[in-house]
Amino acid sequence: MKIRLDRLLAESGFGTRSQVKRLIKKGHVTVNGEIVKTPGFTVDTDRDEVLVDGEPAVFEENYYIMLNKPAGYVTSTKDRALTVMELVSDIPRFEKLFPVGRLDKDAEGLLLLTTDGELAHRLTHPKWKVPKTYYVVVEGKLKEEELKPIREGMKFKDFEAMPAKVRIISSSSSSSEAEITIKEGKYHQVKRMFDRIGHPVRYLKRIRFGNLELGQLPPGEYRHLTDEELSLLRKSVSL
Ligand code: URA
């Protein structure tokens, strides 16, 4: 595989993109015995020998997994309770995977798991404002005018939610369905937003994460991202 030198080093654990660029520019990196100071230099992972201060950079391809998380699983790599890792344990080196952001134990839907620390870091960093869309069922009859505070932004003790997109799918006297898109990912954020307008969430499922769509992936199942999904996702956070 042909890859930029800085990406190879970042993906083989020598630091973030900017840290490895510094290492390269300072002359710590050799390719086939020659010092290379250009971060964008192309190397072939099948042929070239890359060393950082004499230590080989071993490239292990990253994994990018979309899981449809069922309720009842904790989004964590380690917990006394059942974790999402159980659902991907047939993937080789699955212990190196970690979830990008989190879904509550009782929540369902699209959860991205990856071995790529740099991408995960950016996707969860508030700076990049990656949109996340949820399908929710809430208590009571939702009315358009009640959604105003969600659409205008909401202040909480610990953070301020930016204006969110929200639309009612259906509503009856006992419950309503809606779709909401938020750009942050604070603890219990969607539940807290609907609590605030007097309609507690009874069911929550993430259906989109950035450019990724859950689609027809059955609950409890996973799939690898396609090359196109991955390249759009990387571009969305300037990688
Ligand atoms: N908002 C919530 O309240 N819970 C989730 O799991 C995700 C978003």
Side-chain angles (χ1 to χ4, degrees):
M1 171 180 173
K2 293 214 166 72
I3 185 170
R4 283 172 60 107
L5 184 57
D6 54 356
R7 185 168 162 204
L8 166 78
L9 295 183
E11 293 193 8
S12 33
F14 285 93
T16 62
R17 228 3 137 79
S18 46
Q19 286 167 338
V20 301
K21 273 186 183 153
R22 272 200 296 278
L23 280 177
I24 296 167
K25 287 183 185 159
K26 285 186 177 165
H28 290 269
V29 180
T30 58
V31 178
N32 304 326
E34 302 278 332
I35 291 177
V36 172
K37 291 190 172 178
T38 316
F41 186 85
T42 304
V43 288
D44 184 338
T45 54
D46 299 323
R47 293 166 183 218
D48 295 329
E49 186 195 42
V50 179
L51 304 177
V52 180
D53 292 329
E55 190 188 333
V58 183
F59 180 70
E60 286 188 335
E61 216 172 326
N62 273 317
Y63 290 146
Y64 305 88
I65 307 288
M66 180 195 293
L67 171 71
N68 185 352
K69 175 195 170 305
Y73 288 80
V74 175
T75 306
S76 165
T77 50
K78 281 195 190 77
D79 200 280
R80 284 222 220 117
L82 205 57
T83 74
V84 292
M85 302 312 284
E86 309 276 341
L87 300 163
V88 293
S89 59
D90 59 336
I91 298 176
R93 297 193 294 123
F94 84 96
E95 319 80 29
K96 301 233 163 137
L97 285 166
F98 51 88
V100 178
R102 54 169 55 232
L103 284 171
D104 296 337
K105 188 175 176 188
D106 62 356
E108 300 182 7
L110 199 167
L111 184 69
L112 182 66
L113 295 127
T114 184
T115 51
D116 184 340
E118 177 82 13
L119 180 68
H121 175 70
R122 293 201 184 193
L123 290 172
T124 48
H125 196 285
K127 172 179 165 188
W128 299 98
K129 301 186 178 65
V130 176
K132 290 156 278 272
T133 303
Y134 299 85
Y135 163 83
V136 291
V137 178
V138 301
E139 269 182 33
K141 190 174 178 68
L142 259 185
K143 297 184 206 77
E144 271 303 315
E145 60 271 23
E146 292 174 316
L147 299 174
K148 203 165 166 238
I150 293 185
R151 290 181 171 139
E152 290 183 345
M154 274 182 175
K155 277 203 173 110
F156 292 94
K157 253 191 281 169
D158 50 334
F159 81 106
E160 197 169 328
M162 279 185 279
K165 280 194 191 144
V166 58
R167 73 179 180 95
I168 299 171
I169 299 169
S170 75
S171 66
S172 73
S173 55
S174 59
S175 69
S176 307
E177 298 171 291
E179 206 176 278
I180 178 168
T181 303
I182 57 172
K183 293 194 172 158
E184 310 85 358
K186 296 288 181 190
Y187 187 61
H188 287 169
Q189 181 168 340
V190 172
K191 290 176 182 164
R192 288 162 78 189
M193 291 170 87
F194 280 97
D195 271 346
R196 174 72 68 84
I197 61 164
H199 292 279
V201 170
R202 288 292 159 248
Y203 175 82
L204 186 145
K205 178 179 181 180
R206 181 151 66 196
I207 55 174
R208 277 195 286 281
F209 181 87
N211 60 292
L212 306 177
E213 299 245 5
L214 183 62
Q216 299 306 310
L217 189 65
E221 306 239 326
Y222 68 80
R223 67 170 176 85
H224 292 264
L225 297 193
T226 65
D227 290 346
E228 196 189 348
E229 284 174 328
L230 179 58
S231 96
L232 277 174
L233 195 62
R234 293 180 63 87
K235 271 196 201 131
S236 74
V237 290
S238 293
L239 280 175

